Amino acid sequence: MVKVLDEHERTMAFAEVALGQIRSLRQTAIPRNYEIWYVYATGYNAPLNKIINETLARNGKLTEADLEQIYDTYLSHIKTTDRIDKVGARVIGEIDEVLKLLTDALGMSESYEVCLDGAAQKLSTARTAAQVKPIVEMLLKSTREMRETNMALEQRLTLSRTEISNLQQSLEAIRAESLTDPLTGLGNRKYFDRMIETEVQNALANNQPLSLLMFDIDHFKSFNDSYGHLTGDQVLRLVGMSLKQTIKGQDITARYGGEEFAVVLPNTALRQALTVADHIRRAIMAKELKKKSTGEILGRVTISVGVSMLKPDDDTDSLIERADACLYAAKRAGRNRVVCEVDPEYTAEMRGQVA
């Protein structure tokens, strides 16, 4: 009883620390944030505590984007691993059951073979119907048992085939979920990192063009500060929906982090990429943002876009760096625009960095 009370008091202390942090930092008390601070209070996840302490020391606060990134990096993958482990355990259980049945069937087959050999010897010396009858009865009994064992094995193998197929689908669903941003339905950062590396290698190997769009929602912080984080989430969903409607085929879309998104355009030269980027910008700007609770029109969302194209001596990092620099140049030039690496805004930005 004492042990139960001690565990209760210990976990309540962690809960109080978590709620205290949420309260003192004036964060939304949603399950994700509570889980982050509860784990922080336990001290069991040292990398999570380290990044939180470093971010607070550097910025004095944790933004929603920071919290989301921390959760995705240090907590969500643990849940995915647990789910994969459970599915894996069920697969192993199925295999063990089938192996046991196969062992039993093998034993029965060996017994049946011995029975057949014995019956053959007895039949070779049998002279009357009375001597043959018990041998035939024994053969019939053994054959019936063998057939029943084979039928049971066949039924179990059919069930196992179905079960393993279902488990395989579960693994595929978990894999897809682990690569999907839950808020927008686009690929997440892990998906982006994996796909862009593959596409860059393919483009370099086959001497094909490849372009990258990096874009950021203009004045996103003001949406959160003025209307709350729920409206901020609505803005992110609006952008995600616009991307799904605009980008098709082999092109790759992802939420890069926070309010930043990325689009990889395989087999696409710079001029075509600029057309795609401006099409996305206009599609997003065409949609009105409406507050769901009141119906109030909050205005239109705009984005700034940076565009880079793969060069022969490029790697993934340099391609991303140039697109990011173009994005920053677009913001410095007034936002709601597309800037690529041959534009004067980008050149001026690079001169400013060197100076």
Side-chain angles (χ1 to χ4, degrees):
M1 185 67 179
V2 173
K3 186 176 180 182
V4 173
L5 287 175
D6 288 347
E7 185 68 12
H8 169 76
E9 290 170 1
R10 190 173 70 90
T11 54
M12 286 302 295
F14 292 150
E16 286 172 10
V17 170
L19 290 173
Q21 292 283 18
I22 289 171
R23 192 178 295 112
S24 65
L25 293 169
R26 300 189 62 78
Q27 293 169 352
T28 51
I30 57 177
R32 180 200 67 193
N33 293 351
Y34 175 79
E35 183 178 353
I36 288 171
W37 286 114
Y38 187 93
V39 173
Y40 179 88
T42 67
Y44 294 153
N45 191 325
L48 177 140
N49 285 38
K50 183 173 183 288
I51 192 66
I52 286 177
N53 292 336
E54 288 176 352
T55 306
L56 287 174
R58 185 172 61 250
N59 303 327
K61 64 177 182 177
L62 289 169
T63 65
E64 285 296 307
D66 290 333
L67 290 165
E68 183 177 343
Q69 189 70 33
I70 288 168
Y71 184 82
D72 287 345
T73 304
Y74 299 100
L75 291 177
S76 63
H77 71 282
I78 295 174
K79 294 182 177 180
T80 300
T81 301
D82 288 344
R83 289 166 65 193
I84 290 172
D85 287 345
K86 286 177 182 176
V87 173
R90 287 173 62 189
V91 171
I92 291 170
E94 280 297 315
I95 292 171
D96 286 343
E97 284 292 318
V98 171
L99 285 176
K100 183 176 178 299
L101 275 173
L102 287 171
T103 302
D104 292 344
L106 184 60
M108 177 61 74
S109 178
E110 289 173 351
S111 297
Y112 187 61
E113 188 175 347
V114 170
C115 177
L116 289 177
D117 289 342
Q121 290 176 6
K122 290 177 182 177
L123 284 172
S124 67
T125 59
R127 296 291 179 265
T128 66
Q131 291 174 324
V132 171
K133 183 179 179 183
I135 300 172
V136 172
E137 287 175 348
M138 180 187 65
L139 282 173
L140 287 172
K141 181 175 178 294
S142 295
T143 302
R144 187 162 52 248
E145 289 173 352
M146 188 66 192
R147 185 177 62 186
E148 288 171 357
T149 300
N150 287 339
M151 286 177 64
L153 178 60
E154 186 178 349
Q155 290 171 359
R156 191 64 183 82
L157 285 173
T158 300
L159 288 173
S160 290
R161 201 160 36 237
T162 302
E163 178 66 9
I164 290 173
S165 176
N166 290 338
L167 291 173
Q168 189 175 20
Q169 290 175 19
S170 296
L171 283 174
E172 285 298 318
I174 292 169
R175 176 182 172 277
E177 187 178 318
S178 74
L179 297 173
T180 302
D181 173 55
L183 186 62
T184 62
L186 301 175
N188 59 16
R189 177 63 178 272
K190 185 195 298 185
Y191 171 79
F192 171 80
D193 289 344
R194 182 179 299 180
M195 295 304 294
I196 191 171
E197 189 66 40
T198 299
E199 293 300 334
V200 164
Q201 294 304 318
N202 287 342
L204 291 172
N206 298 307
N207 197 27
Q208 293 177 336
L210 179 140
S211 295
L212 172 65
L213 318 181
M214 299 287 289
F215 67 87
D216 190 271
I217 300 171
D218 296 329
H219 305 295
F220 181 73
K221 186 176 182 298
S222 67
F223 280 105
N224 280 334
D225 293 344
S226 301
Y227 306 112
H229 293 294
L230 290 178
T231 300
D233 287 350
Q234 188 182 341
V235 171
L236 292 169
R237 279 193 289 267
L238 181 148
V239 172
M241 180 182 66
S242 298
L243 275 174
K244 286 178 186 176
Q245 293 171 347
T246 307
I247 302 298
K248 305 291 183 184
Q250 65 178 349
D251 300 333
I252 297 157
T253 58
R255 184 179 175 193
Y256 190 73
E259 65 271 26
E260 196 167 356
F261 295 77
V263 178
V264 182
L265 301 172
N267 204 24
T268 305
L270 190 62
R271 184 179 293 277
Q272 295 170 284
L274 288 170
T275 301
V276 173
D278 201 55
H279 185 49
I280 294 170
R281 184 186 67 82
R282 290 175 182 275
I284 291 171
M285 191 171 60
K287 292 180 170 59
E288 280 188 333
L289 184 66
K290 185 184 293 186
K291 194 168 186 178
K292 288 184 177 179
S293 57
T294 63
E296 175 190 0
I297 301 298
L298 304 180
R300 297 182 186 276
V301 178
T302 65
I303 61 170
S304 299
V305 190
V307 185
S308 62
M309 181 178 164
L310 190 67
K311 297 177 180 178
D313 58 346
D314 258 341
D315 58 19
T316 301
D317 289 342
S318 58
L319 178 69
I320 293 173
E321 284 170 9
R322 289 203 310 281
D324 211 41
C326 289
L327 167 59
Y328 191 72
K331 284 193 167 295
R332 287 282 292 268
R335 295 183 171 84
N336 190 21
R337 65 190 63 218
V338 178
V339 170
C340 74
E341 52 197 323
V342 298
D343 287 334
E345 294 94 338
Y346 172 75
T347 307
E349 184 67 35
M350 290 298 99
R351 277 203 302 267
Q353 288 185 16
V354 172

